[in-house]
């Protein structure tokens, strides 16, 4: 058995992170395989590991519960890092980050939803646009306004734009009248 060729063949499989193959004489092969663990969906077509490695399995499993991240492949680690930071910040407000994207020009956008207290409530997603810079400052403004005004009306919010220098813009959902 050609151990090097076997190792290369196993390493080429999408879910395989690393492989070690060794021979124990006279007739035993020891194969150690470390599996890739997906922590997010990447650009709706790929998966992303905790190390920021993009990979595409031959048959994509249904990864509905994984967060959706997107951007250029070269920015995968940065987007994953920013997702972690945003998740920490939004969790203090009772919000979960379900998607983060970095546009080609560098602008950031996130999708957040309220953490459901029970299984009967379906959380509504809110689009949050950050822009390119001073994300922490902009998120601080959002946090202040969220706690004082927006939290009580969370189910009415469609989109929040934080790109303004001294404020934010809120787009409200259209509330239809029931007759």
């Amino acid at each position: 058995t050609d151990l090097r060729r076997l190792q290369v063949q196993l390493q080429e499989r999408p879910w395989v992170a690393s492989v070690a193959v060794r021979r124990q004489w006279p007739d035993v092969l020891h194969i150690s395989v470390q599996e890739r663990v997906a922590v997010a969906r990447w650009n709706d077509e790929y998966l992303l590991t905790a190390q920021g490695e993009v990979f595409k399995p031959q048959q994509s499993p249904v990864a509905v519960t994984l967060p959706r991240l997107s951007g250029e492949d070269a920015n995968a680690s940065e987007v994953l890092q920013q997702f972690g930071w945003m998740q920490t910040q939004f969790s203090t407000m009772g919000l979960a980050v379900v998607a983060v994207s970095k546009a080609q020009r560098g602008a950031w956008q996130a999708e957040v939803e309220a953490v459901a207290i029970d299984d009967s409530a379906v959380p509504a997603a809110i689009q949050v646009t950050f822009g390119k810079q001073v994300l922490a400052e902009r998120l601080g403004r959002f946090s202040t306004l969220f706690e004082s005004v927006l939290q009580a009306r969370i189910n009415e919010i469609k989109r929040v734009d934080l790109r303004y220098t001294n404020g934010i813009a809120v787009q409200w959902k259209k509330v239809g009248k029931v007759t």
Side-chain angles (χ1 to χ4, degrees), residues 125-164:
I126 301 169
Q127 295 291 327
V128 181
T129 303
F130 286 91
K132 294 181 192 178
Q133 42 195 306
V134 292
L135 274 64
E137 179 184 315
R138 291 174 182 189
L139 189 58
R141 260 186 302 172
F142 174 80
S143 177
T144 301
L145 189 61
F146 183 79
E147 291 173 8
S148 63
V149 178
L150 299 178
Q151 190 170 18
R153 299 179 66 186
I154 192 163
N155 291 328
E156 300 172 45
I157 302 169
K158 180 176 184 176
R159 184 171 292 133
V160 177
D161 190 340
L162 305 175
R163 294 178 290 181
Y164 300 95

Side-chain angles (χ1 to χ4, degrees), residues 13 51 65 71 83 86 96 104 116 118-119 136:
R13 297 180 183 268
Q51 294 74 33
T65 59
F83 165 77
M86 287 181 186
Q104 196 171 24
D118 59 25
D119 291 336

Side-chain angles (χ1 to χ4, degrees), residues 40-48 54 67-77 79-80 100:
R41 292 179 281 168
W42 180 251
N43 290 334
D44 294 326
E45 193 176 337
Y46 301 94
L47 296 173
L48 191 62
V54 177
R68 298 180 326 272
L69 305 181
S70 62
E72 295 181 18
D73 286 351
N75 296 329
S77 292
V79 174
L80 183 62
V100 172

Side-chain angles (χ1 to χ4, degrees), residues 1-171:
T1 301
D2 182 351
L3 298 185
R4 180 72 186 137
R5 193 175 106 216
L6 177 61
Q7 183 176 4
V8 168
Q9 287 175 342
L10 292 172
Q11 188 70 48
E12 288 174 350
R13 297 180 183 268
W15 285 99
V16 175
S18 66
V19 177
V21 179
R22 67 179 176 88
R23 185 184 325 256
Q24 180 180 346
W25 291 102
D27 58 358
V28 177
L29 281 179
H30 289 277
I31 301 173
S32 176
V33 178
Q34 185 176 7
E35 180 183 13
R36 283 190 176 117
V37 178
V39 296
R41 292 179 281 168
W42 180 251
N43 290 334
D44 294 326
E45 193 176 337
Y46 301 94
L47 296 173
L48 191 62
T49 68
Q51 294 74 33
E53 180 184 7
V54 177
F55 71 102
K56 182 176 183 177
Q58 292 167 343
Q59 295 178 336
S60 282
V62 178
V64 177
T65 59
L66 293 177
R68 298 180 326 272
L69 305 181
S70 62
E72 295 181 18
D73 286 351
N75 296 329
S77 292
E78 180 187 12
V79 174
L80 183 62
Q81 182 181 8
Q82 201 67 284
F83 165 77
W85 175 78
M86 287 181 186
Q87 184 72 329
T88 301
Q89 302 303 311
F90 279 109
S91 69
T92 63
M93 296 176 251
L95 299 171
V97 180
V98 295
V100 172
S101 66
K102 182 178 183 183
Q104 196 171 24
R105 293 184 174 213
W108 291 93
Q109 187 169 359
E111 186 176 311
V112 299
E113 55 187 34
V115 178
I117 297 171
D118 59 25
D119 291 336
S120 64
V122 177
I126 301 169
Q127 295 291 327
V128 181
T129 303
F130 286 91
K132 294 181 192 178
Q133 42 195 306
V134 292
L135 274 64
E137 179 184 315
R138 291 174 182 189
L139 189 58
R141 260 186 302 172
F142 174 80
S143 177
T144 301
L145 189 61
F146 183 79
E147 291 173 8
S148 63
V149 178
L150 299 178
Q151 190 170 18
R153 299 179 66 186
I154 192 163
N155 291 328
E156 300 172 45
I157 302 169
K158 180 176 184 176
R159 184 171 292 133
V160 177
D161 190 340
L162 305 175
R163 294 178 290 181
Y164 300 95
T165 306
N166 295 318
I168 69 173
V170 177
Q171 180 182 4

